[in-house]
Amino acid sequence: AAEDALREGCARIRERGVTGGAVVVLDSKSGEVLAMVGSPDFSSPDAGQVNAALALRQPGSAVKPFVYAAAFAGTLRPSTILADVPVSYGDPTGSFAPRNYAETFAGPVSARLALANSWNVPAVEVAWEMGAHEAARVFEAVGLGATDPERLGLGITLGVGEVALLDLAGAYAALARGGRWIEPHAILAVRDDGGAWVREERPRAHEALDPIASAWVNEILSDPAARGAAFERGGPLEFSSPIAAKTGTSARWRDAWAVLYSTRHTVAVWMGNPDGRPTDRVTGAEGPGTVAREVLLALQGSIPPPPFPVPPDTERRSVCPLSGLAAGSDCPQMSWEPFRASDPPLGACDVHVVRSIDTETGLLARSCTPPERLARRLYVRLPARFAFWQADLGLDGPPTSPTVCVCGSPTCTLEDRLVAMESDRTPSFRILRPLDGSCYILDPTLAPGQQEIALEAEAPPEAEVEWRIDGEPIGTTRGTHRRFWPAQPGAHRIEALLAGSFLRATTGIRVATDE
């Protein structure tokens, strides 16, 4: 069944530059190798006699679950909020700015959604907090081979190292059995030609992952609703029975991976080209995912596998999915997320806030606000790291200034006069990014669309800002919104002009080529 599925799967997408593939099937309980297919056609001149199941290739996102499993053993929880926003990490060798596959950002996301949808930016945040050396230690514990955190850095989270399909299958089987790693093995015992026992093979085994952390990863990867933002419902990764799924795609589309696993079986598939040539944008879901599905369905037949076990000492708590804190009466949604029973109580959600508003001014209501202009509104107040993401989406935070009463009325106070005086002052206006005197270096290995400079200004919320590069208009923004300018070599003068006023801000930068 594995041979047929791989042969047919490669034939379906051959026109997209795929000549090779491999399948490994393990017994999830014992680690026994039930099938190993090294190529779609042993007689093919395209490296048909190379066992691709043992070749070292870049796994891409297929290794992310083990980063999360390591973090779940610490303080991270499936409900913890991570930041899927533009960010860069610096170290002595340079900077690393991860991007998502879809080139979009989801803002505040739970660890559950970040793992299920395989978003890169939150995964790197998890590795940053944990440390690349800890990620490397966990990879080695589940049999993914030696890794070099000094060389790979945070890229270890995104699968820039190399693993073999057989070892990857063994790592996922460890998740399926609750964290115990057993070396994949194809020989159980050796007999002589007379049938007498020579020796019994005893594979290496040890406890590699925390059982509760493994259970949470299994739950997330077997939840089709959680991965709905990035993977279509009803696709090859979705089953009616408890099947966990994960895919991976390496840089420049050279490798596509898919792993489907249950408490009974683990099926891992790789597709690509043995010589390393890139494919025509073949993803793990559409190529290997379809092959893995056919193999797993042939294995399980009409009898679904038992569900993944839920370890003791865990409990469910009501959580606001936007803050990761205890859901309150003002939270429009809530979910039940798993925690360790020993975890301290959650704080109350402070992201959703209700304010009394003067509907005419949009500012905070005062005692002098007429009743007909009073309204109570729900706002989202996100932490500062989400400010630009929130502004880009046009999500208004709660007003912070009180409305101004008409001075001279019986209710006009000294505070009203001070507020009125403050509102008459010249608004603050300056360029936030780029910083004056900044130098950028173009990377020749990256596409121009991935090398843009953010233009950000501090301006009144509704004010229009006109941007000019070397005197040439390039567009406008509103308030704290950003726009991006494709970096061009040379020295540049950047100007921001506040519409309807004489205010102007300037900064100078230099863009160099990496030659």
Side-chain angles (χ1 to χ4, degrees):
E3 289 176 344
D4 291 343
L6 181 62
R7 187 180 305 112
E8 294 170 2
C10 288
R12 280 194 298 268
I13 57 175
R14 179 172 292 276
E15 71 277 5
R16 296 180 62 184
V18 174
T19 61
V23 179
V24 170
V25 182
L26 301 182
D27 183 305
S28 292
K29 294 181 179 179
S30 66
E32 297 172 10
V33 179
L34 305 182
M36 181 192 291
V37 185
S39 68
D41 181 5
F42 185 78
S43 62
S44 170
D46 294 320
Q49 297 174 32
V50 173
N51 187 353
L54 303 181
L56 295 177
R57 310 286 300 216
Q58 287 187 331
S61 296
V63 296
K64 286 177 185 172
F66 306 103
V67 176
Y68 281 89
F72 286 153
T75 59
L76 190 75
R77 298 294 176 262
S79 59
T80 301
I81 298 301
L82 303 172
D84 188 18
V85 296
V87 65
S88 62
Y89 299 91
D91 61 29
T93 63
S95 64
F96 176 48
R99 294 287 188 96
N100 291 322
Y101 166 78
E103 291 292 331
T104 59
F105 298 95
V109 295
S110 66
R112 170 186 294 277
L113 294 181
L115 172 57
N117 292 283
S118 198
W119 288 321
N120 289 340
V121 179
V124 174
E125 179 185 349
V126 172
W128 173 262
E129 295 292 336
M130 180 175 56
H133 283 81
E134 176 62 14
R137 184 196 67 78
V138 172
F139 284 8
E140 292 184 9
V142 295
L144 291 181
T147 55
D148 182 2
E150 299 296 337
R151 177 175 65 91
L152 303 176
L154 293 174
I156 192 173
T157 310
L158 307 183
V160 300
E162 299 83 22
V163 303
L165 183 67
L166 178 62
D167 294 335
L168 188 66
Y172 275 91
L175 283 171
R177 65 178 75 95
R180 181 169 178 78
W181 176 79
I182 301 176
E183 183 179 18
H185 52 287
I187 298 175
L188 301 180
V190 179
R191 300 174 184 265
D192 63 19
D193 56 0
W197 287 93
V198 175
R199 69 177 183 276
E200 180 180 359
E201 297 292 327
R202 296 185 179 275
R204 294 179 297 153
H206 58 255
E207 301 299 328
L209 300 171
D210 175 76
I212 292 178
S214 299
W216 289 346
V217 171
N218 296 338
E219 176 194 333
I220 292 169
L221 296 184
S222 58
D223 181 2
R227 73 172 79 99
F231 298 88
E232 64 178 13
R233 294 298 305 269
L237 307 181
E238 186 166 340
F239 295 80
S240 58
S241 53
I243 305 294
K246 188 69 187 77
T247 62
T249 307
S250 70
R252 305 192 181 178
W253 314 93
R254 288 191 175 94
D255 308 277
W257 310 71
V259 181
L260 300 177
Y261 68 99
S262 69
T263 51
R264 287 194 188 132
H265 302 107
T266 299
V267 179
V269 179
W270 168 83
M271 296 176 76
N273 294 298
D275 61 3
R277 285 181 291 115
T279 67
D280 183 13
R281 303 175 70 87
V282 173
T283 67
E286 59 186 344
T290 301
V291 174
R293 179 183 181 87
E294 293 177 5
V295 175
L296 192 62
L297 290 176
L299 272 169
Q300 78 176 37
S302 59
I303 304 176
F308 293 105
V310 178
D313 302 323
T314 61
E315 62 185 22
R316 297 271 176 176
R317 299 181 185 178
S318 173
V319 171
C320 170
L322 190 59
S323 68
L325 299 173
S329 58
D330 295 331
C331 297
Q333 294 179 311
M334 56 88 65
S335 60
W336 289 92
E337 291 287 1
F339 290 83
R340 297 175 189 268
S342 59
D343 286 341
L346 292 172
C349 174
D350 57 0
V351 165
H352 294 102
V353 295
V354 174
R355 295 287 184 263
S356 293
I357 301 300
D358 183 332
T359 57
E360 183 173 299
T361 65
L363 301 176
L364 295 173
R366 298 283 306 283
S367 59
C368 57
T369 304
E372 64 273 14
R373 286 165 40 186
L374 279 175
R376 288 180 62 80
R377 292 179 180 171
L378 177 66
Y379 292 92
V380 173
R381 183 177 58 191
L382 293 172
R385 59 179 175 164
F386 299 111
F388 285 111
W389 176 85
Q390 186 173 4
D392 286 346
L393 267 64
L395 300 176
D396 294 329
T400 57
S401 301
T403 192
V404 180
C405 296
V406 178
C407 291
S409 69
T411 55
C412 186
T413 66
L414 175 61
E415 180 182 357
D416 296 325
R417 293 187 176 88
L418 293 176
V419 170
M421 291 171 61
E422 183 66 27
S423 63
D424 290 337
R425 293 180 180 175
T426 302
S428 174
F429 181 63
R430 62 192 177 101
I431 293 178
L432 297 176
R433 295 184 184 178
L435 297 177
D436 188 44
S438 297
C439 180
Y440 297 84
I441 299 180
L442 295 175
D443 186 340
T445 67
L446 296 179
Q450 295 181 344
Q451 303 189 77
E452 298 178 322
I453 297 175
L455 307 179
E456 303 168 3
E458 180 183 1
E462 297 303 320
E464 183 176 81
V465 178
E466 178 186 345
W467 291 93
R468 297 179 181 178
I469 306 290
D470 301 328
E472 295 294 327
I474 64 166
T476 62
T477 58
R478 288 278 182 183
T480 57
H481 287 204
R482 288 170 298 170
R483 72 175 300 113
F484 291 89
W485 173 66
Q488 303 292 331
H492 303 284
R493 177 182 175 85
I494 300 176
E495 295 177 282
L497 294 82
L498 189 63
S501 77
F502 60 88
L503 295 179
R504 176 192 305 260
T506 62
T507 186
I509 66 169
R510 187 167 64 89
V511 179
T513 57
D514 186 17
E515 296 178 350

